[in-house]
Amino acid sequence: MARVRLAAGGTGGAGGGDGDLADGGAHGTAAQRLLGGSRDRCPIRIAAVSAPILAALFRAIRREAPTNLRRAGATLGLASGAAAAAVYALACTENAPAFVLIWYSPASALVTGVGAMLGQLLLRW
């Protein structure tokens, strides 16, 4: 059945499209690609992966004596959020650009905000 879908121009993927996204094949409908199956876990996992990265960056930059603590913390948060999103993307099976934009961005923004708040506290010298 998967071969018929592919021959007819269907959207079956490497697994034949069965079970990837309900009734939509490997790519699913537009709404399924946008919402995805891991939307409830994706931002939380990216934020969790970014925590040790953020801690390491804070430890490294503390010796550099930044003068704008909030901006330095936000920059470190953004860098750790981006690194965590890249690491998470390697394991995530949903890679539609709309999904990545909508669900990875809030996690990076959250970590950026946390970095800005922690910057004022942890980067004082």
Side-chain angles (χ1 to χ4, degrees):
M1 183 165 182
R3 291 178 192 219
V4 172
R5 290 166 98 188
L6 289 173
T11 58
D18 297 328
D20 286 344
L21 289 172
D23 300 325
H27 299 290
T29 65
Q32 288 169 332
R33 285 191 308 265
L34 184 64
L35 296 176
S38 65
R39 66 185 175 272
D40 56 341
R41 298 177 307 271
C42 178
I44 295 167
R45 288 181 178 170
I46 291 174
V49 170
S50 72
I53 299 169
L54 184 60
L57 289 174
F58 267 107
R59 184 176 170 98
I61 201 71
R62 183 167 170 80
R63 297 179 192 162
E64 302 301 322
T67 55
N68 190 333
L69 305 179
R70 183 178 285 197
R71 183 179 299 158
T75 302
L76 295 178
L78 182 61
S80 67
V87 169
Y88 182 76
L90 294 174
C92 184
T93 58
E94 300 180 78
N95 58 3
F99 179 85
V100 171
L101 177 69
I102 290 175
W103 298 108
Y104 284 34
S105 298
S108 294
L110 173 71
V111 177
T112 301
V114 168
M117 288 188 294
L118 289 177
Q120 292 180 314
L121 300 172
L122 301 177
L123 296 177
R124 290 187 186 160
W125 46 281

